[in-house]
mmCIF file of all heavy atoms in Angstrom:
data_model
loop_
_atom_site.group_PDB
_atom_site.id
_atom_site.type_symbol
_atom_site.label_atom_id
_atom_site.label_comp_id
_atom_site.label_asym_id
_atom_site.label_seq_id
_atom_site.Cartn_x
_atom_site.Cartn_y
_atom_site.Cartn_z
ATOM 1 N N GLU A 1 0.815 -1.221 0.000
ATOM 2 C CA GLU A 1 0.000 0.000 0.000
ATOM 3 C C GLU A 1 0.845 1.267 0.000
ATOM 4 O O GLU A 1 0.311 2.362 -0.030
ATOM 5 C CB GLU A 1 -0.947 0.014 1.203
ATOM 6 C CG GLU A 1 -2.093 -0.944 1.082
ATOM 7 C CD GLU A 1 -3.064 -0.582 -0.029
ATOM 8 O OE1 GLU A 1 -3.288 0.616 -0.291
ATOM 9 O OE2 GLU A 1 -3.613 -1.523 -0.639
ATOM 10 N N GLY A 2 2.156 1.128 0.099
ATOM 11 C CA GLY A 2 3.018 2.292 -0.030
ATOM 12 C C GLY A 2 3.468 2.942 1.260
ATOM 13 O O GLY A 2 3.937 4.076 1.247
ATOM 14 N N VAL A 3 3.352 2.220 2.390
ATOM 15 C CA VAL A 3 3.894 2.781 3.619
ATOM 16 C C VAL A 3 5.387 3.047 3.394
ATOM 17 O O VAL A 3 6.061 2.315 2.666
ATOM 18 C CB VAL A 3 3.615 1.838 4.814
ATOM 19 C CG1 VAL A 3 4.473 0.592 4.776
ATOM 20 C CG2 VAL A 3 3.794 2.532 6.127
ATOM 21 N N PHE A 4 5.902 4.134 3.976
ATOM 22 C CA PHE A 4 7.288 4.534 3.726
ATOM 23 C C PHE A 4 8.283 3.499 4.255
ATOM 24 O O PHE A 4 9.170 3.057 3.540
ATOM 25 C CB PHE A 4 7.544 5.907 4.358
ATOM 26 C CG PHE A 4 8.959 6.398 4.245
ATOM 27 C CD1 PHE A 4 9.548 6.601 3.012
ATOM 28 C CD2 PHE A 4 9.702 6.657 5.390
ATOM 29 C CE1 PHE A 4 10.856 7.053 2.912
ATOM 30 C CE2 PHE A 4 11.007 7.124 5.300
ATOM 31 C CZ PHE A 4 11.582 7.319 4.057
ATOM 32 N N ARG A 5 8.135 3.107 5.510
ATOM 33 C CA ARG A 5 9.012 2.134 6.133
ATOM 34 C C ARG A 5 8.217 1.317 7.154
ATOM 35 O O ARG A 5 7.217 1.781 7.699
ATOM 36 C CB ARG A 5 10.163 2.798 6.894
ATOM 37 C CG ARG A 5 11.101 3.633 6.062
ATOM 38 C CD ARG A 5 12.195 2.769 5.449
ATOM 39 N NE ARG A 5 13.231 3.595 4.848
ATOM 40 C CZ ARG A 5 13.200 4.074 3.618
ATOM 41 N NH1 ARG A 5 12.177 3.823 2.850
ATOM 42 N NH2 ARG A 5 14.192 4.797 3.147
ATOM 43 N N ILE A 6 8.734 0.116 7.443
ATOM 44 C CA ILE A 6 8.210 -0.736 8.503
ATOM 45 C C ILE A 6 9.379 -1.026 9.430
ATOM 46 O O ILE A 6 10.360 -1.648 9.015
ATOM 47 C CB ILE A 6 7.615 -2.044 7.938
ATOM 48 C CG1 ILE A 6 6.502 -1.720 6.942
ATOM 49 C CG2 ILE A 6 7.139 -2.946 9.073
ATOM 50 C CD1 ILE A 6 6.196 -2.825 5.973
ATOM 51 N N HIS A 7 9.281 -0.560 10.660
ATOM 52 C CA HIS A 7 10.354 -0.764 11.633
ATOM 53 C C HIS A 7 10.052 -2.007 12.462
ATOM 54 O O HIS A 7 9.026 -2.062 13.144
ATOM 55 C CB HIS A 7 10.484 0.461 12.546
ATOM 56 C CG HIS A 7 11.265 1.566 11.927
ATOM 57 N ND1 HIS A 7 12.383 2.103 12.525
ATOM 58 C CD2 HIS A 7 11.114 2.227 10.756
ATOM 59 C CE1 HIS A 7 12.877 3.054 11.756
ATOM 60 N NE2 HIS A 7 12.118 3.155 10.673
ATOM 61 N N LEU A 8 10.937 -2.991 12.385
ATOM 62 C CA LEU A 8 10.792 -4.216 13.165
ATOM 63 C C LEU A 8 11.460 -4.000 14.520
ATOM 64 O O LEU A 8 12.689 -3.907 14.619
ATOM 65 C CB LEU A 8 11.419 -5.408 12.441
ATOM 66 C CG LEU A 8 11.315 -6.753 13.165
ATOM 67 C CD1 LEU A 8 9.852 -7.150 13.385
ATOM 68 C CD2 LEU A 8 12.065 -7.836 12.401
ATOM 69 N N ARG A 9 10.614 -3.894 15.547
ATOM 70 C CA ARG A 9 11.095 -3.649 16.912
ATOM 71 C C ARG A 9 10.678 -4.836 17.776
ATOM 72 O O ARG A 9 9.558 -4.910 18.249
ATOM 73 C CB ARG A 9 10.494 -2.349 17.453
ATOM 74 C CG ARG A 9 10.996 -1.999 18.824
ATOM 75 C CD ARG A 9 10.354 -0.706 19.326
ATOM 76 N NE ARG A 9 10.724 -0.466 20.699
ATOM 77 C CZ ARG A 9 10.092 -0.990 21.751
ATOM 78 N NH1 ARG A 9 9.040 -1.761 21.582
ATOM 79 N NH2 ARG A 9 10.507 -0.725 22.964
ATOM 80 N N ARG A 10 11.603 -5.769 17.960
ATOM 81 C CA ARG A 10 11.351 -6.956 18.765
ATOM 82 C C ARG A 10 12.512 -7.138 19.750
ATOM 83 O O ARG A 10 13.394 -7.977 19.558
ATOM 84 C CB ARG A 10 11.222 -8.204 17.880
ATOM 85 C CG ARG A 10 9.960 -8.208 17.045
ATOM 86 C CD ARG A 10 8.748 -8.474 17.945
ATOM 87 N NE ARG A 10 7.517 -7.929 17.441
ATOM 88 C CZ ARG A 10 6.840 -8.380 16.394
ATOM 89 N NH1 ARG A 10 7.270 -9.385 15.688
ATOM 90 N NH2 ARG A 10 5.714 -7.801 16.048
ATOM 91 N N PRO A 11 12.539 -6.343 20.821
ATOM 92 C CA PRO A 11 13.673 -6.384 21.745
ATOM 93 C C PRO A 11 13.903 -7.740 22.413
ATOM 94 O O PRO A 11 15.021 -8.043 22.812
ATOM 95 C CB PRO A 11 13.339 -5.313 22.781
ATOM 96 C CG PRO A 11 11.907 -4.987 22.606
ATOM 97 C CD PRO A 11 11.537 -5.366 21.207
ATOM 98 N N GLU A 12 12.882 -8.575 22.488
ATOM 99 C CA GLU A 12 13.022 -9.879 23.158
ATOM 100 C C GLU A 12 13.475 -10.991 22.213
ATOM 101 O O GLU A 12 13.823 -12.083 22.664
ATOM 102 C CB GLU A 12 11.706 -10.277 23.833
ATOM 103 C CG GLU A 12 11.192 -9.264 24.842
ATOM 104 C CD GLU A 12 12.160 -9.032 25.994
ATOM 105 O OE1 GLU A 12 12.751 -10.014 26.491
ATOM 106 O OE2 GLU A 12 12.332 -7.858 26.382
ATOM 107 N N TRP A 13 13.457 -10.740 20.917
ATOM 108 C CA TRP A 13 13.823 -11.796 19.970
ATOM 109 C C TRP A 13 15.329 -11.915 19.841
ATOM 110 O O TRP A 13 16.051 -10.906 19.794
ATOM 111 C CB TRP A 13 13.242 -11.488 18.599
ATOM 112 C CG TRP A 13 11.789 -11.830 18.447
ATOM 113 C CD1 TRP A 13 10.914 -12.204 19.424
ATOM 114 C CD2 TRP A 13 11.053 -11.811 17.237
ATOM 115 N NE1 TRP A 13 9.673 -12.422 18.897
ATOM 116 C CE2 TRP A 13 9.724 -12.184 17.543
ATOM 117 C CE3 TRP A 13 11.370 -11.498 15.925
ATOM 118 C CZ2 TRP A 13 8.728 -12.283 16.582
ATOM 119 C CZ3 TRP A 13 10.382 -11.577 14.960
ATOM 120 C CH2 TRP A 13 9.073 -11.975 15.287
ATOM 121 N N ASP A 14 15.798 -13.150 19.712
ATOM 122 C CA ASP A 14 17.219 -13.358 19.454
ATOM 123 C C ASP A 14 17.475 -13.243 17.946
ATOM 124 O O ASP A 14 16.541 -13.082 17.147
ATOM 125 C CB ASP A 14 17.704 -14.693 20.026
ATOM 126 C CG ASP A 14 17.063 -15.921 19.371
ATOM 127 O OD1 ASP A 14 16.487 -15.821 18.260
ATOM 128 O OD2 ASP A 14 17.134 -17.008 19.972
ATOM 129 N N LEU A 15 18.733 -13.348 17.584
ATOM 130 C CA LEU A 15 19.142 -13.190 16.186
ATOM 131 C C LEU A 15 18.434 -14.186 15.273
ATOM 132 O O LEU A 15 17.905 -13.820 14.224
ATOM 133 C CB LEU A 15 20.659 -13.339 16.069
ATOM 134 C CG LEU A 15 21.243 -13.257 14.666
ATOM 135 C CD1 LEU A 15 21.157 -11.830 14.135
ATOM 136 C CD2 LEU A 15 22.681 -13.743 14.661
ATOM 137 N N GLU A 16 18.405 -15.463 15.661
ATOM 138 C CA GLU A 16 17.834 -16.488 14.787
ATOM 139 C C GLU A 16 16.325 -16.319 14.618
ATOM 140 O O GLU A 16 15.795 -16.489 13.512
ATOM 141 C CB GLU A 16 18.165 -17.885 15.315
ATOM 142 C CG GLU A 16 17.837 -18.989 14.328
ATOM 143 C CD GLU A 16 18.498 -18.825 12.954
ATOM 144 O OE1 GLU A 16 19.607 -18.256 12.836
ATOM 145 O OE2 GLU A 16 17.876 -19.250 11.955
ATOM 146 N N LYS A 17 15.624 -15.979 15.666
ATOM 147 C CA LYS A 17 14.173 -15.775 15.550
ATOM 148 C C LYS A 17 13.877 -14.601 14.622
ATOM 149 O O LYS A 17 12.955 -14.650 13.809
ATOM 150 C CB LYS A 17 13.566 -15.537 16.934
ATOM 151 C CG LYS A 17 12.059 -15.522 16.930
ATOM 152 C CD LYS A 17 11.495 -15.603 18.331
ATOM 153 C CE LYS A 17 10.007 -15.804 18.271
ATOM 154 N NZ LYS A 17 9.427 -16.076 19.571
ATOM 155 N N THR A 18 14.683 -13.548 14.727
ATOM 156 C CA THR A 18 14.518 -12.383 13.851
ATOM 157 C C THR A 18 14.790 -12.769 12.401
ATOM 158 O O THR A 18 14.031 -12.416 11.494
ATOM 159 C CB THR A 18 15.443 -11.244 14.301
ATOM 160 O OG1 THR A 18 15.190 -10.953 15.678
ATOM 161 C CG2 THR A 18 15.250 -9.998 13.462
ATOM 162 N N ARG A 19 15.863 -13.521 12.188
ATOM 163 C CA ARG A 19 16.225 -13.959 10.842
ATOM 164 C C ARG A 19 15.101 -14.802 10.226
ATOM 165 O O ARG A 19 14.714 -14.587 9.074
ATOM 166 C CB ARG A 19 17.521 -14.762 10.885
ATOM 167 C CG ARG A 19 17.970 -15.268 9.521
ATOM 168 C CD ARG A 19 19.196 -16.162 9.618
ATOM 169 N NE ARG A 19 20.387 -15.378 9.860
ATOM 170 C CZ ARG A 19 21.220 -15.577 10.889
ATOM 171 N NH1 ARG A 19 20.974 -16.523 11.788
ATOM 172 N NH2 ARG A 19 22.303 -14.837 11.008
ATOM 173 N N LEU A 20 14.566 -15.767 10.975
ATOM 174 C CA LEU A 20 13.496 -16.629 10.464
ATOM 175 C C LEU A 20 12.247 -15.824 10.121
ATOM 176 O O LEU A 20 11.601 -16.077 9.097
ATOM 177 C CB LEU A 20 13.161 -17.713 11.488
ATOM 178 C CG LEU A 20 14.186 -18.835 11.608
ATOM 179 C CD1 LEU A 20 13.851 -19.733 12.798
ATOM 180 C CD2 LEU A 20 14.276 -19.646 10.321
ATOM 181 N N PHE A 21 11.911 -14.856 10.952
ATOM 182 C CA PHE A 21 10.749 -14.003 10.671
ATOM 183 C C PHE A 21 10.958 -13.247 9.361
ATOM 184 O O PHE A 21 10.060 -13.187 8.516
ATOM 185 C CB PHE A 21 10.532 -13.031 11.830
ATOM 186 C CG PHE A 21 9.370 -12.111 11.631
ATOM 187 C CD1 PHE A 21 8.074 -12.560 11.805
ATOM 188 C CD2 PHE A 21 9.569 -10.787 11.259
ATOM 189 C CE1 PHE A 21 6.985 -11.708 11.618
ATOM 190 C CE2 PHE A 21 8.494 -9.926 11.067
ATOM 191 C CZ PHE A 21 7.198 -10.392 11.242
ATOM 192 N N LEU A 22 12.125 -12.681 9.171
ATOM 193 C CA LEU A 22 12.394 -11.872 7.981
ATOM 194 C C LEU A 22 12.440 -12.699 6.700
ATOM 195 O O LEU A 22 12.046 -12.221 5.632
ATOM 196 C CB LEU A 22 13.708 -11.114 8.155
ATOM 197 C CG LEU A 22 13.691 -10.002 9.202
ATOM 198 C CD1 LEU A 22 15.099 -9.507 9.482
ATOM 199 C CD2 LEU A 22 12.792 -8.866 8.755
ATOM 200 N N ARG A 23 12.878 -13.928 6.785
ATOM 201 C CA ARG A 23 13.037 -14.763 5.584
ATOM 202 C C ARG A 23 11.722 -15.125 4.908
ATOM 203 O O ARG A 23 11.715 -15.595 3.773
ATOM 204 C CB ARG A 23 13.833 -16.014 5.903
ATOM 205 C CG ARG A 23 15.274 -15.655 6.146
ATOM 206 C CD ARG A 23 16.149 -16.845 6.158
ATOM 207 N NE ARG A 23 17.501 -16.369 6.400
ATOM 208 C CZ ARG A 23 18.558 -16.807 5.777
ATOM 209 N NH1 ARG A 23 18.432 -17.732 4.862
ATOM 210 N NH2 ARG A 23 19.741 -16.320 6.057
ATOM 211 N N GLN A 24 10.605 -14.877 5.549
ATOM 212 C CA GLN A 24 9.314 -15.180 4.929
ATOM 213 C C GLN A 24 8.872 -14.109 3.930
ATOM 214 O O GLN A 24 7.924 -14.298 3.188
ATOM 215 C CB GLN A 24 8.239 -15.372 5.997
ATOM 216 C CG GLN A 24 7.862 -14.119 6.751
ATOM 217 C CD GLN A 24 6.888 -14.394 7.876
ATOM 218 O OE1 GLN A 24 5.855 -15.024 7.661
ATOM 219 N NE2 GLN A 24 7.220 -13.929 9.064
ATOM 220 N N PHE A 25 9.581 -12.977 3.905
ATOM 221 C CA PHE A 25 9.156 -11.855 3.074
ATOM 222 C C PHE A 25 9.927 -11.788 1.760
ATOM 223 O O PHE A 25 11.079 -12.176 1.676
ATOM 224 C CB PHE A 25 9.331 -10.534 3.826
ATOM 225 C CG PHE A 25 8.473 -10.436 5.058
ATOM 226 C CD1 PHE A 25 9.045 -10.443 6.318
ATOM 227 C CD2 PHE A 25 7.091 -10.347 4.951
ATOM 228 C CE1 PHE A 25 8.264 -10.356 7.459
ATOM 229 C CE2 PHE A 25 6.292 -10.265 6.082
ATOM 230 C CZ PHE A 25 6.884 -10.272 7.343
ATOM 231 N N SER A 26 9.264 -11.225 0.754
ATOM 232 C CA SER A 26 9.890 -11.011 -0.548
ATOM 233 C C SER A 26 10.928 -9.892 -0.451
ATOM 234 O O SER A 26 10.950 -9.121 0.514
ATOM 235 C CB SER A 26 8.825 -10.621 -1.574
ATOM 236 O OG SER A 26 8.311 -9.323 -1.248
ATOM 237 N N VAL A 27 11.740 -9.782 -1.474
ATOM 238 C CA VAL A 27 12.730 -8.710 -1.547
ATOM 239 C C VAL A 27 12.047 -7.348 -1.497
ATOM 240 O O VAL A 27 12.545 -6.412 -0.863
ATOM 241 C CB VAL A 27 13.596 -8.853 -2.822
ATOM 242 C CG1 VAL A 27 14.475 -7.634 -3.041
ATOM 243 C CG2 VAL A 27 14.434 -10.116 -2.761
ATOM 244 N N GLU A 28 10.886 -7.234 -2.137
ATOM 245 C CA GLU A 28 10.165 -5.959 -2.149
ATOM 246 C C GLU A 28 9.751 -5.538 -0.738
ATOM 247 O O GLU A 28 9.848 -4.369 -0.377
ATOM 248 C CB GLU A 28 8.926 -6.043 -3.049
ATOM 249 C CG GLU A 28 9.225 -6.158 -4.518
ATOM 250 C CD GLU A 28 9.602 -7.583 -4.946
ATOM 251 O OE1 GLU A 28 9.337 -8.558 -4.191
ATOM 252 O OE2 GLU A 28 10.184 -7.728 -6.032
ATOM 253 N N VAL A 29 9.274 -6.487 0.056
ATOM 254 C CA VAL A 29 8.882 -6.172 1.433
ATOM 255 C C VAL A 29 10.120 -5.891 2.277
ATOM 256 O O VAL A 29 10.166 -4.914 3.032
ATOM 257 C CB VAL A 29 8.015 -7.303 2.040
ATOM 258 C CG1 VAL A 29 7.746 -7.040 3.517
ATOM 259 C CG2 VAL A 29 6.713 -7.450 1.268
ATOM 260 N N LEU A 30 11.148 -6.731 2.150
ATOM 261 C CA LEU A 30 12.381 -6.523 2.921
ATOM 262 C C LEU A 30 12.984 -5.148 2.651
ATOM 263 O O LEU A 30 13.558 -4.528 3.552
ATOM 264 C CB LEU A 30 13.406 -7.607 2.595
ATOM 265 C CG LEU A 30 13.100 -9.009 3.116
ATOM 266 C CD1 LEU A 30 14.118 -10.010 2.578
ATOM 267 C CD2 LEU A 30 13.059 -9.045 4.633
#
């Protein structure tokens, strides 16, 4: 829909959980 940015703020997540969450998205979303 054209939102400028999406800030992922997950202070409790470790590196691997963050990585797995991000890998589900297309290059356009990333």
Side-chain angles (χ1 to χ4, degrees):
E1 287 294 326
V3 73
F4 176 61
R5 298 274 190 274
I6 302 159
H7 279 236
L8 180 61
R9 183 181 173 275
R10 290 288 153 71
E12 303 299 319
W13 280 10
D14 64 18
L15 178 71
E16 191 55 30
K17 189 167 189 172
T18 305
R19 180 185 285 125
L20 286 171
F21 180 77
L22 291 169
R23 289 193 180 222
Q24 69 185 308
F25 297 111
S26 68
V27 171
E28 291 80 17
V29 174
L30 289 173

